[in-house]
Amino acid sequence: MTTNVTVNQWIKEVTELLSPDKIVWITGEEEQLEGLRKTAVASGELIKLNEELLPGCYLHRTRQNDVARVEDRTFICSKTKENAGPTNNWCDPKEMYQKLYDIARGSYRGRTMYVIPFSMGPIGSPLAKVGIEVTDSIYVVLNMAIMTRVGNKVLEVLGDSNDWVRGLHASCDIDPEKRYICQFPEDNTIISVNSAYGGNVLLGKKCFALRIASYQGWKEGWMAEHMLILGIENPKGEKKYVAAAFPSACGKTNLAMLIPPKYLRDKGYKVWTVGDDIAWMRIGQDGRLYAINPENGFFGVAPGTNEKSNFNALASTKKNTIFTNVALDLDTNTVWWEGLNKDLPKNAIDWKGNKWDASKFDKANKDTYAAHPNSRFTAPAVNCPCISDEFDKGAGVPISAIIFGGRRAKLAPLVYQSKNWANGVFVGASVSSETTAAAAGAVGVVRHDPMAMLPFCGYNMGDYFQHWLDMGKKLGDKAPKIFNVNWFRQDDEGNFVWPGFGDNMRVLNWILDRCEGKADAVETAIGYLPRPEDIDLTDLDIDRATLESILAVDKDAWTAEMDGLTEYFKKFGDRLPKEFTEMIANIKANLK
Ligand code: OXD
Ligand code: MN
């Protein structure tokens, strides 16, 4: 299928290791994909949904032990432990290759090996990169064909180059005890065994586009970040782009597809989605930072998605979408999940494949849920009503602002601007977020998650911080401005103070005005904050005093926060940029 010597050599090696009965190269042609869908329906791997209501859509159920990313079984196998750093699991590459080969050896026997050439980013874009994934799962092939650009065209642009990522996925027995998701950054290689859950097996996504790519970006002078990319069009038709990083469960997909409040829509404001999860960013010829979304679809969390919370995400799932671990409504042969609407289906099958009894549904007991809390939709980006014109162009969009954020009931104000790039890097490195009831473990515990990259940085995070600082030196005065937001402040009764969702546009407008020097701010110890009158509250039922309460800097709480950070940063030892220590000292002095 290709004359590329390095590709053919690797395919020969993995064929010998895995012993498939048959090899099928994915060409990207619809006819081939349709044949695979039919095969998967015949075997029960996919369920075809109502062709009139959900054309081209399918449902898949994973094993019950295989429903999420497994951070404790995810390894960065760099040559030294030091290069993986204190935030990653590490194993010696030689040892890990041996272990994984032993697990995967012969596991394709009686099965087909699918070879998927894929491009992260529009095919041929100077910002894109190529990968080849082998898998024994049709579900993986069909998801990859939505989430990335696949097929012969990718091999054509790769030509004879050796600059491509090797991805080996073997389903094996879906044995959680032998499940490993391993990245070998120095070898451009990923091996994933004993899982079939998207985040572990769609190797273009977290494994390549974040873990391997962050390492490549460090070596090659660019950045791979866990960020959405969003375009904001003002009434004059001018478009400005922002990139934003948040830990999971902080509404990245919602912000990426935001619908502005009516008074702004009436004025002519529009929002365009470029990406909802990952941004690859490089310095362009004009010296500015340009971003592409390397993905071609959305792998979104279904529960909670509805017409109000995210109209555009829901619209994206109406055709050619694969649903995983949601409920099947037998009356209509469509899908349902908690939070879709108030009409609990009367005749449904839950995500485990059992008859679902709506009368036993208890919000407090996840065992009674119809859909798994981490059930997903894999939807083509072209389905999104607000997809940006720039999404498929490959030139990238110039980034005016970078936004960090987390879920903090107290402390972090609604928004503030860092004092400069280096201080913004410190703000990103300080990101922490409270755990929610949606995840196992204690609720409301603050966890550090620098740049929302904790599970995704493919090298020593101390070096990653330094790489951010170095990028700022190269960007100079063309660097995007860096901000921090917190949509999740609560009052003493535990109610959210800020309405969030579409109203976050009011904060984005202040951010863009700051980038253009058009908005006022007050300087505080932590950065520049808007005055209450700088945030437009038209049509919003929130008074000035309330807004003031989420735009204040609590000196004692911030001093304690700086002490906590000092402790956290200790783990990076001498790889922690000296600037961070100085900034903490400065902030503490200014808080006094
Ligand atoms: C994540 C995701 O886990 O995007 O961050 O699925
Ligand atoms: Mn993500």
Side-chain angles (χ1 to χ4, degrees):
M1 287 304 286
T2 170
T3 52
N4 183 307
V5 178
T6 54
V7 172
N8 287 331
Q9 178 57 33
W10 184 71
I11 294 296
K12 186 164 166 275
E13 280 165 29
V14 294
T15 305
E16 278 165 19
L17 174 76
L18 301 162
S19 311
D21 273 17
K22 213 169 114 191
I23 302 179
V24 171
W25 288 72
I26 297 305
T27 61
E29 286 153 343
E30 176 51 27
E31 206 184 324
Q32 184 189 44
L33 296 172
E34 187 54 23
L36 291 174
R37 288 179 201 116
K38 291 215 162 82
T39 309
V41 169
S43 70
E45 196 175 344
L46 291 182
I47 295 169
K48 173 95 182 90
L49 297 168
N50 186 321
E51 183 60 22
E52 257 159 51
L53 298 174
L54 293 171
C57 293
Y58 295 83
L59 167 66
H60 170 80
R61 298 190 192 108
T62 67
R63 300 270 180 90
Q64 289 177 37
N65 71 29
D66 190 29
V67 292
R69 287 188 292 102
V70 280
E71 288 175 15
D72 57 329
R73 307 202 66 93
T74 299
F75 287 75
I76 300 297
C77 305
S78 38
K79 291 207 172 78
T80 65
K81 185 169 170 33
E82 181 68 348
N83 282 350
T87 58
N88 283 311
N89 297 317
W90 175 83
C91 179
D92 176 71
K94 271 203 209 92
E95 206 178 295
M96 191 51 107
Y97 276 126
Q98 202 51 54
K99 184 187 269 191
L100 297 171
Y101 289 161
D102 288 348
I103 292 173
R105 186 169 292 109
S107 71
Y108 282 25
R109 214 161 266 139
R111 302 173 69 81
T112 299
M113 175 165 94
Y114 299 97
V115 183
I116 319 167
F118 64 94
S119 175
M120 297 313 292
I123 297 175
S125 154
L127 286 86
K129 283 202 176 264
V130 167
I132 298 190
E133 174 165 0
V134 297
T135 179
D136 54 347
S137 156
I138 295 182
Y139 170 78
V140 168
V141 173
L142 295 175
N143 274 271
M144 283 294 283
I146 296 173
M147 293 306 295
T148 73
R149 285 104 172 154
V150 301
N152 293 342
K153 286 201 201 101
V154 177
L155 292 174
E156 275 163 36
V157 300
L158 179 64
D160 294 331
S161 169
N162 189 23
D163 183 9
W164 56 279
V165 168
R166 289 104 175 112
L168 189 167
H169 166 244
S171 307
C172 303
D173 306 316
I174 314 289
D175 177 353
E177 303 297 317
K178 293 191 190 147
R179 186 168 297 154
Y180 290 97
I181 318 300
C182 298
Q183 285 67 207
F184 301 83
E186 287 123 344
D187 302 341
N188 268 351
T189 296
I190 304 157
I191 302 182
S192 163
V193 293
N194 276 300
S195 174
Y197 168 75
N200 299 328
V201 298
L202 307 180
L203 300 184
K205 194 175 178 63
K206 303 299 185 182
C207 304
F208 178 175
L210 288 176
R211 298 193 190 103
I212 297 280
S214 60
Y215 173 85
Q216 293 176 328
W218 177 44
K219 293 287 162 185
E220 298 167 9
W222 54 282
M223 307 165 93
E225 300 298 330
H226 192 200
M227 288 181 177
L228 63 95
I229 311 165
L230 164 87
I232 295 158
E233 181 176 337
N234 69 17
K236 286 189 243 158
E238 298 160 342
K239 290 180 188 157
K240 297 268 156 31
Y241 297 89
V242 305
F246 303 101
S248 63
C250 291
K252 243 163 63 242
T253 305
N254 290 347
L255 186 63
M257 299 180 188
L258 163 156
I259 297 179
K262 185 168 179 313
Y263 85 97
L264 286 174
R265 289 202 307 273
D266 290 348
K267 280 190 188 169
Y269 281 92
K270 294 187 182 121
V271 164
W272 302 105
T273 306
V274 182
D276 78 326
D277 195 38
I278 300 175
W280 283 3
M281 304 193 285
R282 264 180 208 270
I283 301 177
Q285 275 169 359
D286 62 359
R288 295 186 67 191
L289 191 63
Y290 283 77
I292 61 162
N293 170 10
E295 301 191 280
N296 201 26
F298 309 119
F299 184 62
V301 177
T305 306
N306 60 50
E307 269 184 29
K308 275 215 179 115
S309 69
N310 196 335
F311 176 89
N312 290 315
L314 191 63
S316 306
T317 67
K318 294 296 178 193
K319 60 180 179 194
N320 304 331
T321 292
I322 299 174
F323 298 92
T324 302
N325 291 342
V326 300
L328 175 64
D329 182 342
L330 291 172
D331 288 337
T332 51
N333 196 27
T334 60
V335 288
W336 190 84
W337 51 77
E338 280 70 20
L340 174 63
N341 52 42
K342 297 219 158 65
D343 314 321
L344 308 196
K346 289 179 192 59
N347 186 17
I349 304 288
D350 68 14
W351 71 274
K352 296 176 186 160
N354 302 323
K355 187 101 186 70
W356 186 60
D357 187 349
S359 69
K360 298 218 173 94
F361 174 67
D362 169 11
K363 210 172 170 198
N365 179 1
K366 283 192 196 133
D367 285 341
T368 68
Y369 284 25
H372 187 275
N374 191 34
S375 54
R376 298 275 175 153
F377 53 80
T378 316
V382 289
N383 286 0
C384 181
C386 60
I387 195 74
S388 162
D389 287 347
E390 299 295 325
F391 163 73
D392 223 7
K393 289 201 184 136
V397 293
I399 297 297
S400 299
I402 288 176
I403 303 172
F404 293 111
R407 178 185 286 270
R408 299 293 299 263
K410 303 281 171 206
L411 190 85
L414 177 64
V415 57
Y416 65 98
Q417 181 184 0
S418 66
K419 297 200 172 167
N420 50 47
W421 177 274
N423 176 236
V425 176
F426 167 78
V427 168
S430 324
V431 166
S432 45
S433 202
E434 279 142 20
T435 51
T436 64
V443 172
V445 177
V446 177
R447 256 194 221 153
H448 289 279
D449 188 352
M451 278 85 171
M453 280 288 277
L454 190 65
F456 306 121
C457 182
Y459 60 107
N460 190 308
M461 215 159 202
D463 295 339
Y464 167 80
F465 297 149
Q466 187 58 48
H467 178 46
W468 264 84
L469 292 172
D470 295 343
M471 287 297 293
K473 284 180 200 133
K474 286 189 205 151
L475 285 159
D477 61 5
K478 303 253 173 71
K481 306 279 185 277
I482 302 182
F483 296 79
N484 193 84
V485 298
N486 177 19
W487 315 133
F488 301 97
R489 282 290 292 266
Q490 290 176 20
D491 62 20
D492 292 337
E493 282 78 49
N495 306 305
F496 289 111
V497 178
W498 181 249
F501 298 100
D503 288 310
N504 292 336
M505 180 77 184
R506 300 165 194 268
V507 175
L508 294 179
N509 271 349
W510 180 77
I511 286 176
L512 288 181
D513 283 349
R514 282 297 293 171
C515 293
E516 288 171 40
K518 291 199 300 212
D520 270 329
V522 277
E523 186 169 358
T524 73
I526 61 166
Y528 299 104
L529 267 81
R531 300 164 306 170
E533 59 267 36
D534 298 323
I535 303 286
D536 188 344
L537 297 181
T538 307
D539 291 346
L540 202 60
D541 188 18
I542 176 169
D543 58 43
R544 192 188 154 101
T546 310
L547 188 58
E548 262 167 17
S549 75
I550 55 172
L551 288 176
V553 177
D554 178 330
K555 294 191 173 178
D556 292 340
W558 272 99
T559 305
E561 180 79 0
M562 289 302 116
D563 291 341
L565 258 182
T566 306
E567 262 321 291
Y568 176 69
F569 281 158
K570 277 186 187 155
K571 67 158 73 186
F572 300 104
D574 59 6
R575 298 222 188 182
L576 186 81
K578 309 241 167 333
E579 286 90 330
F580 287 8
T581 319
E582 287 158 21
M583 276 177 219
I584 292 181
N586 258 333
I587 292 172
K588 282 179 73 171
N590 288 336
L591 283 165
K592 278 196 184 128

